[in-house]
Amino acid sequence: MTVNNSLEKSVSIIKGIGAETESILASMGIFTVQDLLEHFPYRYDDYRLKDLQDVGHEEKVTVEGKVQSEPSLVFYNRKRSRLTIHLLVGTNLIKVFFFNQPYIKKNLSISDTITVTGKWDRLRGAITAQQFKLGPYQQTTDFEPVYSVRGSLTVKALRKFIKLAFQLYENEIEENLPEFLINKYKLMPRKEAMKLMHFPIAQTDVKKARRRFVYEEFLYFQLKMQALRKFEREHSKGLSQQYDLKKLRQFNETLPFALTDAQKRVINEICADLKSPYRMNRLLQGDVGSGKTVVAAIALFASWSAGYQGALMVPTEILAEQHTASLQALLGGAGLRVELLTSSVKGKKRKELLGRLKNNEIDILVGTHALIQDDVHFSSLGLVITDEQHRFGVEQRRVLREKGITPDVLFMTATPIPRTLAITAFGEMDVSIIDEMPAGRKKIETYWVKHEMLEKVLGFVEKELVAGRQAYVICPLIEESEKLDVQNAIDVYQMLSDYFHGKFKVGLMHGRLHPEEKENVMQEFSDNSLQILVSTTVVEVGVNVPNATTMVIYDAERFGLSQLHQLRGRVGRGSEQSYCFLLANPKTEIGKERMKIMTETNDGFVLSEKDLELRGPGDFFGKKQSGLPEFKVADMVHDYRALETARSDANELINSEYFWKEQSYSPLRKYLQKSGVMEGEKLD
């Protein structure tokens, strides 16, 4: 955020912060006085007395009451114990548990008045004590902030430093939002909001102050995204592809099926980008089976009709072969020359293919990362499509893009991303969504079964195999692990090989296999040389075997909803009814909820939203995923309405002339300059 020089001074100017504390604070990302003031509490302990009728299950509560029974002490072993008393709180007789504090027994007697703070178990009518003292309620601070700390730094010490910093620099905290936005949303001034975040009197204070900072964080982040988008568009001139609308309409009429309304909407968005003078930078989301390949074919046809070549890059050779076959079937009749380039294409054949590509004798080239090798030259590359874009690194996508002169770029993914994450992680992209499935597609029947029912599940699988179909069996691990009590792929492979010995062939696939071995196993499964494929999650994307109708997922509770949905999407690709069995004995409520949700819906976008709610944004993509910002106050799941509002406001500001001129917007402009966006630089 924009700050003045005083607030940018080192935290070491605060009395009591020596070299050791300064080092600990630095490890927490706190270097300046401003950083210290913006290190907000992650929760507040409310020590005010409350009526137990108003306290929710498992909420923290402070009560005052009279002891009604002699303390009962039970030891589990030398170090573990539980002390239980009955306490009369108003008209409620409740239990209070003290764990591993046996010495309290000698301090308590019947009729003593005590004050207890702890977690309220509404179902059992009991409190697990966290703090306790003899005597009636007396608390100097009713509402106390709790901060994250590290090392030897205590919460108490950090509170003291923040209080001192506030006393010294309160009057130097400047407003960084335009007045009209503060008035529009009735937001607190920044200085007042910051004070209430650190020194609230009641929960309502925190709510008002937090509302201010949620909007501020989202607005600043979205300004960065929208500015990046604007500058990238303006600094990267596009091709303005004047495609032949008449030919495009005629081509669409030759398709063997009717397009869904969602496909038509997305195609219109892509075609508008092709014709635009700016380079397209669009993310196309579509659930498994929603028809992204057809959309890609139409986009490639449109670009071809404007006189350009197209490229489609996919993560695996098998997927490249499948896409080539699909595009040849769709585009071949219209005269387009579609070819395949993978590492398997070698020698004279490769040289001949690359020559034709350079001479514009190939219209569409489909391939793996082989497309980005130095000797691959296009004559006039106009459209680059990357399928399952998260499987490629930023550098790989950039190299392919630079094979042409500012070609339009379309990224495709079958991983449904919740809107809140899409506009955050991919904020600099335009996002198109195919949120409708083609008519007549059969729903995959999904069942949650306990491990004890495995014999019945295998009996069902055998019936499908006898009928000539195939099956996947998915395991979370490759080999046995002492840490996790889960089935592993090698053990399951051996068990199924014995179970189906002499009847059906079983294959094994996992991440430690050499790429060629993986390709061979998948090819055998595609050719039906293998009837059962035991695999880890490497089959999550990019495998299309229409004859596979059954999937069994071991220890399904170990996976997130989105991953389960991606795995399930490997079946249901043919005309036959398909089935998915979730083998799971979940021990947690969240695990049970996941299994229940999976059996209730096949909609990937519904599941992705649920997954985000259950797991949080950090776990949705995986911890190594870059691009997700860490907000200090805002939560993109719970505060999604504020995120939408901030995005709309940021877009309006960035694209308005007055934003770049009026003085009231200078803090926002300074922030963008500091971020490197004003020079059109790519941000972290």
Side-chain angles (χ1 to χ4, degrees):
M1 302 301 166
T2 307
V3 295
N4 60 32
N5 290 333
S6 297
L7 294 180
E8 287 182 341
K9 289 178 180 175
S10 168
V11 284
S12 60
I13 66 169
I14 304 295
K15 187 179 178 182
I17 297 181
E20 186 185 345
T21 304
E22 186 182 2
S23 176
I24 293 171
L25 289 171
S27 73
M28 295 164 58
I30 299 171
F31 302 95
T32 65
V33 174
Q34 181 77 14
D35 294 334
L36 184 63
L37 292 175
E38 289 183 354
H39 185 73
F40 296 124
Y42 69 90
R43 75 161 199 262
Y44 300 85
D45 283 342
D46 188 350
Y47 291 105
R48 293 168 300 168
L49 294 178
K50 290 182 182 175
D51 188 329
L52 285 172
Q53 300 302 318
D54 302 327
V55 181
H57 180 57
E58 295 196 334
E59 273 187 24
K60 196 171 182 179
V61 65
T62 298
V63 297
E64 174 192 295
K66 275 196 173 184
V67 179
Q68 298 294 302
S69 66
E70 290 289 347
S72 169
L73 181 60
V74 177
F75 281 92
Y76 299 107
N77 53 41
R78 284 184 187 178
K79 294 181 179 179
R80 298 180 65 199
S81 65
R82 185 183 71 188
L83 183 73
T84 308
I85 62 168
H86 287 85
L87 192 68
L88 186 64
V89 180
T91 58
N92 299 299
L93 185 64
I94 67 169
K95 286 181 181 178
V96 179
F97 300 124
F98 299 88
F99 285 95
N100 307 321
Q101 300 172 78
Y103 54 86
I104 289 176
K105 182 177 180 180
K106 62 183 179 184
N107 298 326
L108 288 174
S109 303
I110 292 176
S111 297
D112 280 350
T113 297
I114 65 169
T115 304
V116 176
T117 299
K119 189 181 282 188
W120 171 235
D121 186 334
R122 196 181 185 94
L123 306 175
R124 297 169 70 187
I127 289 176
T128 300
Q130 294 166 346
Q131 291 182 40
F132 149 78
K133 70 171 186 170
L134 283 168
Y137 171 77
Q138 282 181 327
Q139 186 70 33
T140 52
T141 306
D142 289 337
F143 210 65
E144 207 164 56
V146 182
Y147 299 88
S148 60
V149 289
R150 280 188 191 171
S152 59
L153 181 64
T154 63
V155 173
K156 190 175 180 181
L158 188 60
R159 283 192 196 121
K160 185 183 78 174
F161 298 143
I162 290 171
K163 188 172 183 178
L164 191 54
F166 219 93
Q167 288 169 350
L168 292 169
Y169 296 103
E170 178 180 0
N171 293 327
E172 297 188 32
I173 297 168
E174 295 178 346
E175 185 53 67
N176 62 0
L177 290 180
E179 192 177 347
F180 89 93
L181 287 176
I182 291 173
N183 294 336
K184 181 180 179 181
Y185 299 117
K186 297 182 173 60
L187 299 174
M188 273 188 166
R190 194 168 205 267
K191 181 168 71 173
E192 186 185 340
M194 193 172 280
K195 191 171 186 176
L196 287 180
M197 285 293 285
H198 292 297
F199 317 111
I201 297 167
Q203 183 65 45
T204 50
D205 294 338
V206 177
K207 194 175 179 183
K208 288 176 187 173
R210 186 182 177 280
R211 183 172 171 269
R212 148 78 204 213
F213 283 110
V214 165
Y215 178 77
E216 178 188 304
E217 281 192 301
F218 281 154
L219 180 71
Y220 269 74
F221 175 74
Q222 287 297 332
L223 277 170
K224 188 165 66 174
M225 288 292 98
Q226 299 300 322
L228 182 63
R229 191 169 161 188
K230 176 183 171 69
F231 281 99
E232 281 203 342
R233 283 188 67 171
E234 291 179 357
H235 289 102
S236 59
K237 194 176 178 185
L239 295 173
S240 187
Q241 302 191 43
Q242 301 301 311
Y243 58 86
D244 190 321
L245 182 59
K246 186 179 177 183
K247 280 185 180 176
L248 187 61
R249 283 176 175 163
Q250 287 173 343
F251 171 69
N252 288 350
E253 286 171 9
T254 67
L255 294 172
F257 39 75
L259 295 172
T260 64
D261 289 341
Q263 285 173 315
K264 290 175 185 174
R265 182 185 69 246
V266 165
I267 289 162
N268 285 335
E269 290 168 353
I270 292 169
C271 285
D273 281 353
L274 291 174
K275 203 163 259 190
S276 151
Y278 304 113
R279 184 163 71 189
M280 172 164 64
N281 188 30
R282 186 172 289 277
L283 174 69
L284 173 60
Q285 288 191 71
D287 209 343
V288 174
S290 61
K292 293 185 302 302
T293 305
V294 177
V295 170
I298 293 169
L300 289 164
F301 182 92
S303 182
W304 169 80
S305 75
Y308 294 97
Q309 292 170 299
L312 173 59
M313 185 163 75
V314 298
T316 67
E317 286 203 13
I318 285 184
L319 190 57
E321 289 169 8
Q322 291 168 350
H323 271 308
T324 303
S326 298
L327 291 177
Q328 284 173 341
L330 289 166
L331 297 169
L336 277 76
R337 297 159 295 185
V338 182
E339 295 288 353
L340 170 70
L341 178 63
T342 67
S343 56
S344 298
V345 180
K346 295 173 182 174
K348 187 179 177 183
K349 188 178 179 184
R350 177 185 169 84
K351 188 177 179 182
E352 184 266 336
L353 187 147
L354 294 180
R356 288 170 56 215
L357 182 71
K358 192 173 182 179
N359 293 331
N360 206 16
E361 293 169 20
I362 293 174
D363 301 309
I364 312 295
L365 187 63
V366 183
T368 56
H369 58 276
L371 294 186
I372 61 176
Q373 291 177 3
D374 291 342
D375 60 344
V376 178
H377 301 287
F378 290 81
S379 168
S380 55
L381 182 60
L383 177 61
V384 172
I385 301 178
T386 309
D387 194 18
E388 294 305 338
Q389 60 91 25
H390 62 283
R391 289 296 177 105
F392 295 102
V394 174
E395 186 63 18
Q396 289 173 309
R397 299 198 299 261
R398 182 191 63 76
V399 172
L400 179 58
R401 195 169 63 228
E402 291 179 358
K403 292 285 181 184
I405 302 171
T406 64
D408 287 312
V409 182
L410 179 67
F411 303 104
M412 301 199 302
T413 179
T415 306
I417 303 164
R419 180 167 171 75
T420 46
L421 282 187
I423 67 175
T424 307
F426 305 103
E428 81 281 11
M429 287 186 185
D430 294 301
V431 179
S432 290
I433 299 174
I434 306 178
D435 52 5
E436 181 184 0
M437 298 299 276
R441 188 174 172 87
K442 289 179 181 175
K443 179 183 174 183
I444 300 166
E445 291 185 14
T446 305
Y447 302 95
W448 167 24
V449 293
K450 302 289 178 71
H451 282 277
E452 305 87 82
M453 296 178 67
L454 177 60
E455 194 73 29
K456 285 188 177 180
V457 171
L458 292 180
F460 183 91
V461 170
E462 187 165 356
K463 283 182 184 176
E464 288 293 296
L465 299 179
V466 167
R469 294 185 270 279
Q470 292 165 273
Y472 293 96
V473 178
I474 308 297
C475 306
L477 296 177
I478 299 171
E479 294 168 348
E480 194 170 352
S481 166
E482 292 178 5
K483 293 181 181 178
L484 292 174
D485 180 23
V486 291
Q487 292 293 327
N488 60 81
I490 291 171
D491 280 356
V492 171
Y493 165 71
Q494 289 169 346
M495 181 271 287
L496 291 177
S497 296
D498 292 340
Y499 187 90
F500 290 110
H501 183 67
K503 298 179 183 176
F504 303 105
K505 283 195 173 181
V506 183
L508 176 63
M509 173 100 137
H510 55 71
R512 289 188 198 163
L513 291 178
H514 188 274
E516 283 185 16
E517 291 178 295
K518 284 185 198 170
E519 294 287 344
N520 290 337
V521 172
M522 278 315 307
Q523 196 61 58
E524 287 181 12
F525 190 60
S526 296
D527 297 341
N528 202 2
S529 300
L530 299 173
Q531 287 72 53
I532 302 166
L533 182 63
V534 177
S535 175
T536 57
T537 56
V538 290
V539 299
E540 186 183 338
V541 292
V543 179
N544 183 28
V545 182
N547 191 49
T549 58
T550 310
M551 175 171 283
V552 180
I553 304 177
Y554 271 86
D555 303 297
E557 74 275 18
R558 300 281 181 181
F559 301 98
L561 287 172
S562 292
Q563 195 173 28
L564 285 172
H565 181 63
Q566 284 298 303
L567 290 167
R568 176 171 62 182
R570 299 307 101 204
V571 295
R573 292 172 163 258
S575 57
E576 301 295 336
Q577 178 62 54
S578 290
Y579 309 88
C580 179
F581 295 93
L582 307 171
L583 277 180
N585 292 33
K587 295 177 176 67
T588 66
E589 288 305 315
I590 287 182
K592 292 172 186 173
E593 182 68 13
R594 277 195 200 136
M595 297 306 101
K596 188 166 171 283
I597 293 167
M598 281 297 296
T599 62
E600 290 172 350
T601 182
N602 272 245
D603 188 320
F605 288 98
V606 171
L607 287 167
S608 72
E609 294 287 352
K610 292 281 187 186
D611 209 11
L612 187 59
E613 288 171 21
L614 291 173
R615 301 169 76 201
D619 288 334
F620 187 87
F621 283 121
K623 300 203 174 190
K624 293 183 181 176
Q625 174 76 20
S626 59
L628 279 180
E630 288 189 16
F631 298 112
K632 293 177 181 176
V633 180
D635 181 319
M636 66 178 80
V637 180
H638 298 107
D639 303 317
Y640 69 93
R641 286 193 179 90
L643 176 60
E644 295 273 9
T645 302
R647 184 175 191 256
S648 174
D649 290 341
N651 187 46
E652 194 175 319
L653 286 169
I654 290 295
N655 290 295
S656 64
E657 285 187 23
Y658 57 78
F659 176 80
W660 306 103
K661 296 175 183 177
E662 290 189 21
Q663 189 60 30
S664 59
Y665 299 110
S666 61
L668 306 183
R669 289 200 299 273
K670 282 179 186 173
Y671 168 71
L672 293 177
Q673 284 170 336
K674 198 174 177 182
S675 301
V677 183
M678 300 289 272
E679 291 75 41
E681 295 174 7
K682 189 77 178 172
L683 300 171
D684 291 334

